[in-house]
Amino acid sequence: MGVVALCQANLSSRFEFATATRIVFGAGTFQEVGSIAAALGRRALVVTGRNTARAGPLLEVLARSGVEGTTFSAVGEPTLETVRLGLERARSGECDLVIGFGGGSALDTAKAIAVLLGNEGDVLDYLEVIGRGRVLEHPGRPCMAIPTTAGTGSEVTRNAVLSSPEHRVKVSLRSPFLLPRVALVDPELTYTMPPAVTAATGLDALTQLVEPFVSVRANPLTDALCREGMMRVARSLRRAWRTGEAAAREDMALAALLSGMALANAGLGAAHGFAAALGGHFPAPHGALCARLLPPVMAANLRALQERAPESPALARYEEVARLLTGDPGATADDGVAWVDDLVAELDIPSLAAYGVTAGDFPSLVRQAAASSSMKANPVLLTAEEMEGILEIAWKGERPFARTGVRIGR
């Protein structure tokens, strides 16, 4: 057994796993929100996206169980100022419960507000990179996470991604205390997602299944989650995007949940390292960035592993990714890259150039991505030249990995 393989084996023999205290999954489970919330608090701050009216049915369900709900809109990517305003609203309303209802931005905002309600100081005190990096010492108020998209997995992660326009960067507030008390995932809430959102969030989930599976921190529990999740994405993302059928929506909601548990316990990789850097500079959906970056990241990792760590178990894992996605027991790792590349193209994911990225941005993006926490779990250390190559392919929207005959979906 090679040194790298031995290290991987040792890593997987000792691991920890943490997730939301309670997970409720299934079509129609939204009707259980009231009774669940009533066991956690009596005054709820309901954090939504731009349109607070969408929370109307939620407020009605809460009211029937004696829970008073006050809405707070987290417009766009959550910023430090958004969290501060939400904290002020929660404190003035004497809220003892925070409910995130929406996409990843609403959920991350809710988690940040909930934990800071139990800790003194400003959000900046606890942030990595741009803040003081203090440890959150106390649990916050109970948080309930109810996703209405299928991709981020934020309902079961222990971090909240926040944007600082002043610093032009996205950073994470991290702590086990950010894990929601309850994650309620009702696929019916995703039925109205438009195709573009279905594509971006679904490919985000796929990225969050592939990267933890090849991560240096992978373990047997996350492996099982990733295998199940990739299988469901392979058979259902295209159908969810094209027709929105209920069975496909359920598959994708479950795949997103599994991806959140996987990334929270095994880490991510270079695609998310780049996405974090890009998200701090350009107004682009996080999922679309991950999607556009995933094929060139997979290809660059494969080449680097073959050249510098041919004994790495990650190579065999990329082969397994290909088999899971294509349904072909003879598929190679390159077939897996081609499959993802074809899917990204079919789902109309824009190039990085479409979001205003220029070639002149590459050096600074490479530096920021290299320093990101996500990059630490990548299966191989990429050189600056390899990282610029990834950006160039994603920027141009080129398809160097396309291959005829590679089956998409099953």
Side-chain angles (χ1 to χ4, degrees), residues 37-55:
L40 300 175
R42 280 292 176 264
R43 290 190 180 91
L45 181 73
V46 178
V47 182
T48 71
R50 183 183 301 274
N51 183 8
T52 58
R54 290 191 63 193

Side-chain angles (χ1 to χ4, degrees), residues 328-402:
D328 179 359
T332 67
D334 287 340
D335 291 331
V337 177
W339 187 95
V340 176
D341 192 44
D342 286 346
L343 184 61
V344 168
E346 183 173 354
L347 270 55
D348 298 327
I349 301 298
S351 68
L352 297 187
Y355 298 113
V357 181
T358 70
D361 296 313
F362 290 2
S364 64
L365 290 171
V366 166
R367 286 193 298 273
Q368 288 185 44
S372 72
S373 57
S374 293
M375 200 65 79
K376 296 174 184 176
N378 201 59
V380 64
L381 181 64
L382 296 171
T383 66
E385 183 179 9
E386 288 167 336
M387 292 175 71
E388 286 210 15
I390 290 168
L391 283 176
E392 184 171 6
I393 292 170
W395 176 61
K396 292 180 177 178
E398 292 178 340
R399 301 197 54 212
F401 317 113

Side-chain angles (χ1 to χ4, degrees), residues 166-197:
E166 176 187 354
H167 299 89
R168 298 192 71 193
V169 69
K170 293 172 86 172
V171 291
S172 283
L173 182 65
R174 296 182 189 277
S175 171
F177 294 137
L178 269 87
L179 283 166
R181 188 75 63 84
V182 178
L184 188 143
V185 183
D186 185 340
E188 291 182 357
L189 298 177
T190 71
Y191 286 2
T192 58
M193 277 198 301
V197 177

Side-chain angles (χ1 to χ4, degrees), residues 36-115:
I36 295 172
L40 300 175
R42 280 292 176 264
R43 290 190 180 91
L45 181 73
V46 178
V47 182
T48 71
R50 183 183 301 274
N51 183 8
T52 58
R54 290 191 63 193
L58 173 57
L59 297 177
E60 292 175 6
V61 172
L62 291 173
R64 288 199 295 270
S65 294
V67 178
E68 179 184 343
T70 300
T71 57
F72 174 73
S73 178
V75 180
E77 297 284 342
T79 65
L80 307 191
E81 188 59 25
T82 301
V83 172
R84 292 178 183 125
L85 290 172
L87 268 171
E88 183 179 335
R89 177 75 63 84
R91 286 171 176 152
S92 64
E94 298 182 343
C95 296
D96 55 3
L97 167 65
V98 182
I99 300 176
F101 181 72
S105 295
L107 269 54
D108 278 2
T109 303
K111 288 158 58 178
I113 293 170
V115 78

